[in-house]
Amino acid sequence: MSGAALRILIIGGYGTFGARLSQLLCDDERFCLLIGGRSLAKAVAFVSGLGGKAGKEPVEFDRNGDVYKQLSAVAPAVTVDASGPFQTMGCDTYRVPRACISLGIDYADLADSREFVRGIAELDAEARAAGVFVLSGLSSFPALSFAALDRLAQDFSRIDHVSSGIAPSPHADIGPNVIRAIASYAGKPVPVLRNGISATGLGLIEWHRVTVAPPGCIPLKSGRFRLVDAPDLDLLPQRFGGLSSIFTGAATKPQSLQRLLAATAQLVRLKLLPSLLPFAPLMHRASKLLASGEHRGGMFVRASGSDRAGQPLEASWHLVAEGDDGPFIPVTGLEAMIRKLANGNRPADGARSAAGEFLLEEFERCFERFAIYSGTRHVRPGEVDLPLYRRLLGSAWERLPRAIAATHDTSEGGHRLSGRARVERGTGFLASIIAAAVGFPKAQDDVAVRVCFTTKGRIEFWTRDFGGAEFRSVQLEGHGRDAHLLAEDFGPFRILMAVVPDGAKLRFVVRGWRFFGIPLPLVLAPGGDIYEEERESRFHFHGEVGGPLTGLIVRYAGWLEEEGG
């Protein structure tokens, strides 16, 4: 594209999502960003700190005002509505896209309202006649969720069940309009599909438990995803005929906030409150006040049915965003669309939902600049007998160095390895008691090591011998709340670890622990720098056990090779 800069009006341009879209586009001099909002002062302040090569203009814009007049005044080529909430637009629901069509302006939005996205198609004939595109729902639901499902669908001959969900970081800056959208349907009937027929669910009350776990990444903590009224609930049956059930959910963190939302939703269900909308400002303040926990968020899409050979198959796509990168996810589809438009690749004319409009690869390219990781997992009946570490790592198994993969590529009967190691022991009283109880070896600079682990079914039994001092453990795959974690049992203690490839290393990150099945505080969990490594084509190990109450208990490091190898 050459000539004048592409004028892009971002309604809500200084808000939660509009500001992030502006940040993604401000590096491109082909754009002129019109930062719109009801407060011109806020728009001016935001533009003054935005930076970048793109042109920038603060604009006063009110969706509830004379939209036609305001659009005519600023004359954008594309209007992006990133403000919301789209659930409470009032009687003139489509006033912004209608005005855009009448003025020959392309339009896209971040709508997550089921009715808004479903009804946008009524503008199709008008948009085609005007030669413009109108895309609704270019957000996590339905644009990204459909892109992920289309990737999964390649392995299916038939899909029976689909579920998806978003788990925002508890520290994400959730805007007041997002809260208003949630409040609009909390505790109210939500049309869903169950057993192939239309049914009714209850917003924020019904839930599925899911662990979001991209292969090779530290999983999110298992959480309850509560039913949300997303566009996918209408759009999925149109795309995939014969579906039996659909679920879309959100896992609000921390748990205290989720329980509060669920409890107040019950008041609406019981008709003790007509709606939570009047309480949206209070809910917004509560989300900020109660924010606690890890700075991590994520998303999943899961499908089950039959593979191309007619055999049962469950496949899932997982995404984890570290730090504060999660709120960029809903606007990556808009960024991809605008950059394609600048390159002369425009969407087809007409009005429609954004479901299926973009490939997952286009989102993934946008993710690369962030700490956002995604991947797929497949479960087939024949794969339950795969070795433990293959099951845990899924597609990330292929990233393992050869020496590490060979060590864990076990079959019935197991492995016997031997080598040398150095052992250090903590000197604290409690550390000494625990080390003696488990059987950890004594401190030695150079000791012969022998490791034997045998496989029985889906469980591995490990015996480690350091110069005649043995200690044993049992390794297995976690389930339920502990899904996708490696569980290692030392007597009555169970340590839960994420297994994460990291270059030439395989790291073990402690994510929880149990005593006789009772969960204990993670902050007190034993752990340290635990990894396996390939060095000069040989398998090396580094184990460290300690905790805030005990200090160092034991640290051992060395190398192993197959006996007789």
Side-chain angles (χ1 to χ4, degrees):
M1 181 177 177
S2 60
L6 184 69
R7 291 175 65 82
I8 305 163
L9 171 62
I10 305 176
I11 305 174
Y14 52 79
T16 301
F17 298 117
R20 286 176 169 84
L21 177 62
S22 302
Q23 292 168 22
L24 294 181
L25 297 176
C26 70
D27 65 340
D28 197 324
E29 59 187 8
R30 297 176 298 171
F31 305 138
C32 178
L33 306 180
L34 311 176
I35 307 301
R38 286 180 293 181
S39 171
L40 182 59
K42 290 182 179 179
V44 169
F46 178 77
V47 166
S48 67
L50 186 56
K53 300 177 181 178
K56 293 168 282 292
E57 297 178 16
V59 174
E60 186 175 358
F61 196 99
D62 185 357
R63 287 195 318 178
N64 297 319
D66 188 334
V67 175
Y68 186 94
K69 180 179 179 180
Q70 294 175 90
L71 288 172
S72 299
V74 298
V78 184
T79 294
V80 172
D81 194 341
S83 56
F86 295 87
Q87 286 84 350
T88 56
M89 287 288 287
C91 57
D92 192 7
T93 303
Y94 299 112
R95 55 184 171 272
V96 176
R98 282 190 189 279
C100 286
I101 292 171
S102 66
L103 291 168
I105 299 169
D106 292 316
Y107 167 92
D109 64 44
L110 287 174
D112 58 357
S113 165
R114 180 175 181 170
E115 293 185 4
F116 189 98
V117 175
R118 178 182 59 204
I120 201 76
E122 71 183 48
L123 306 180
D124 186 55
E126 298 173 47
R128 289 176 184 273
V132 299
F133 63 79
V134 173
L135 294 178
S136 186
L138 241 173
S139 187
S140 302
F141 287 148
L144 178 53
S145 59
F146 264 71
L149 186 56
D150 285 341
R151 166 81 63 82
L152 299 177
Q154 298 172 9
D155 296 325
F156 286 87
S157 62
R158 188 190 77 250
I159 296 178
D160 299 322
H161 308 279
V162 175
S163 60
S164 54
I166 301 174
S169 164
H171 303 278
D173 183 15
I174 300 177
N177 285 335
V178 175
I179 298 296
R180 282 177 57 81
I182 295 171
S184 68
Y185 56 76
K188 295 186 175 182
V190 174
V192 296
L193 186 69
R194 291 199 191 106
N195 300 318
I197 60 175
S198 297
T200 301
L202 291 169
L204 294 192
I205 293 177
E206 299 182 19
W207 56 272
H208 289 183
R209 179 174 290 280
V210 177
T211 301
V212 177
C217 294
I218 299 174
L220 294 186
K221 291 183 178 179
S222 176
R224 293 183 177 185
F225 286 77
R226 294 186 179 271
L227 179 65
V228 295
D229 195 17
D232 302 49
L233 296 172
D234 279 334
L235 300 174
L236 282 168
Q238 299 172 19
R239 174 69 67 87
F240 300 97
L243 282 175
S244 179
S245 69
I246 306 170
F247 177 88
T248 55
T252 307
K253 298 291 181 67
Q255 287 294 316
S256 56
L257 178 59
Q258 186 181 116
R259 285 192 289 268
L260 176 62
L261 292 173
T264 51
Q266 288 284 4
L267 297 178
V268 176
R269 181 185 73 84
L270 296 171
K271 302 189 184 305
L272 298 176
L273 288 175
S275 170
L276 292 187
L277 266 174
F279 301 95
L282 181 61
M283 293 164 62
H284 183 241
R285 288 195 294 272
S287 70
K288 292 181 174 295
L289 181 64
L290 297 175
S292 63
E294 296 180 313
H295 285 256
R296 312 178 74 222
M299 180 175 175
F300 80 93
V301 177
R302 183 167 59 194
S304 62
S306 300
D307 65 13
R308 296 296 179 182
Q311 297 300 309
L313 171 65
E314 178 182 299
S316 54
W317 172 84
H318 301 253
L319 176 150
V320 163
E322 303 287 355
D324 298 318
D325 287 349
F328 282 98
I329 294 170
V331 299
T332 52
L334 282 169
E335 182 201 8
M337 182 208 74
I338 291 170
R339 293 195 186 278
K340 288 175 67 175
L341 189 62
N343 292 328
N345 186 3
R346 58 179 285 113
D349 293 341
R352 58 196 178 276
S353 83
E357 192 74 22
F358 297 96
L359 299 174
L360 185 59
E361 289 83 355
E362 295 176 276
F363 288 94
E364 290 172 333
R365 283 195 291 271
C366 296
F367 295 159
E368 288 175 358
R369 79 188 71 177
F370 302 110
I372 297 175
Y373 310 99
S374 62
T376 59
R377 293 181 177 272
H378 291 71
V379 178
R380 294 180 172 89
E383 293 180 348
V384 297
D385 296 327
L386 287 176
L388 172 61
Y389 282 68
R390 276 186 178 268
R391 299 197 307 272
L392 286 168
L393 288 167
S395 58
W397 172 266
E398 305 303 325
R399 307 210 307 259
L400 289 183
R402 179 177 298 180
I404 298 175
T407 299
H408 291 291
D409 198 8
T410 58
S411 58
E412 197 77 23
H415 271 336
R416 294 178 183 271
L417 305 102
S418 57
R420 310 292 297 183
R422 180 176 186 272
V423 182
E424 300 174 62
R425 283 274 291 268
T427 57
F429 176 71
L430 188 55
S432 299
I433 292 177
I434 294 174
V438 175
F440 287 138
K442 296 183 181 300
Q444 300 169 79
D445 286 333
D446 183 30
V447 61
V449 182
R450 191 181 191 208
V451 177
C452 174
F453 53 99
T454 59
T455 303
K456 294 184 180 179
R458 297 170 63 85
I459 300 175
E460 292 184 0
F461 297 85
W462 287 61
T463 301
R464 303 165 179 88
D465 183 320
F466 287 77
E470 289 187 354
F471 69 98
R472 297 177 173 83
S473 67
V474 177
Q475 293 188 1
L476 64 156
E477 186 177 3
H479 293 283
R481 293 174 181 266
D482 305 329
H484 308 302
L485 294 175
L486 174 67
E488 184 161 20
D489 293 342
F490 296 90
F493 289 96
R494 169 167 290 186
I495 311 299
L496 298 155
M497 295 172 285
V499 185
V500 184
D502 179 18
K505 295 180 180 180
L506 181 64
R507 294 193 177 276
F508 298 79
V509 182
V510 175
R511 298 292 290 165
W513 63 317
R514 310 271 192 271
F515 179 66
F516 284 112
I518 301 171
L520 300 174
L522 179 59
V523 69
L524 301 178
D529 194 14
I530 308 171
Y531 61 86
E532 299 169 348
E533 181 180 20
E534 179 178 275
R535 201 185 310 158
E536 298 177 348
S537 300
R538 177 182 274 177
F539 176 85
H540 286 251
F541 61 90
H542 182 280
E544 189 172 283
V545 181
L549 297 181
T550 63
L552 176 68
I553 297 175
V554 66
R555 181 186 295 118
Y556 50 87
W559 57 267
L560 292 168
E561 58 187 11
E562 193 84 22
E563 289 189 352

